Amino acid sequence: MSLFLELRKHGKLAAKRNPMYEKNKFGKFWMYFMAIFWAGYLMFFGTTFAFAFDGGTKEAYHFMNSGLIFVMALDFLMRFPFQKTPTQEVKPYLLLPIRRNRLIDFLLTRSGLSSFNLIWWFFFVPFAIITITKFYGITGVLTYCIGIWLLIVFNNY
C-alpha cells in the first residue's frame, strides 16, 4: 500500500514540475467545463435512446447491447491519444529497488481504477434506469452498470 501511495505522490509531483502547471488555469477551467458538457451530452443521449428504442419488438437494452461493440470501439479511439501505456511509466522506476512485476501491477491497477473508466456511466446509467428498472428493478440496473464498467475496464487494458 505504501508503494501505491508513494508512486501516486510521484505522479502528482511530476505534474507540478511541468513549466505550464501554474499558467494553465484557463486550460483547466476549459477542461472541466468540457467534461461537464460531455457528461450532460451523454446523459441526454442515454435518455433519448431509452425512449427512442422503447415500444419495439425487442427491449431497448437489447438494441443497446447489440451496438455495444461500436461504443467499445469509440472508447478505444478516445483513449488512444490520452492514455499513457504502463511501459512508458515504468522507465523512471527501473533503477529503484522495486520488483518490475510489482510496479507493473501497480500501474495497471491505477489504470483500471482511473476515473476515465467512469465516463460512459453518464450514458448507461440513465439508459439503464429508464429501461431496465421496469423488468429487473434496482438490482438489474446495478448489475447492468457493473457489467458495462467491467467491459470498459477490459477495454482499458
Side-chain angles (χ1 to χ4, degrees):
M1 186 64 173
S2 65
L3 175 66
F4 183 81
L5 296 175
E6 191 68 29
L7 292 177
R8 190 166 174 253
K9 185 172 76 171
H10 285 186
K12 288 182 180 182
L13 287 173
K16 285 183 182 179
R17 280 189 215 111
N18 190 340
M20 295 302 288
Y21 182 75
E22 291 296 326
K23 297 179 182 178
N24 63 0
K25 299 290 184 194
F26 180 73
K28 283 184 184 179
F29 166 76
W30 189 249
M31 187 173 61
Y32 290 132
F33 175 75
M34 289 308 290
I36 292 170
F37 172 77
W38 278 105
Y41 210 49
L42 287 172
M43 286 192 295
F44 170 73
F45 273 127
T47 55
T48 303
F49 284 172
F51 289 121
F53 294 150
D54 198 22
T57 57
K58 293 170 72 175
E59 295 300 326
Y61 53 88
H62 291 297
F63 280 114
M64 184 61 68
N65 290 344
S66 65
L68 200 57
I69 188 72
F70 299 111
V71 173
M72 293 297 136
L74 181 64
D75 180 59
F76 178 77
L77 291 174
M78 280 176 31
R79 288 176 189 277
F80 203 71
F82 297 117
Q83 190 173 9
K84 287 200 276 187
T85 60
T87 55
Q88 291 174 326
E89 296 182 71
V90 164
K91 285 184 182 181
Y93 300 108
L94 288 179
L95 296 176
L96 294 176
I98 302 171
R99 289 192 337 226
R100 185 180 298 173
N101 289 340
R102 188 164 178 205
L103 185 62
I104 290 174
D105 288 344
F106 158 74
L107 293 172
L108 289 174
T109 303
R110 186 174 71 180
S111 175
L113 296 176
S114 171
S115 61
F116 198 78
N117 295 331
L118 301 177
I119 289 174
W120 285 105
W121 272 12
F122 289 107
F123 179 75
F124 285 105
V125 168
F127 178 82
I129 288 173
I130 294 170
T131 59
I132 296 177
T133 312
K134 295 184 263 186
F135 304 106
Y136 301 107
I138 298 298
T139 309
V141 171
L142 289 175
T143 55
Y144 182 77
C145 291
I146 289 171
I148 293 294
W149 178 70
L150 289 174
L151 285 173
I152 297 290
V153 169
F154 180 72
N155 198 25
N156 174 45
Y157 289 137

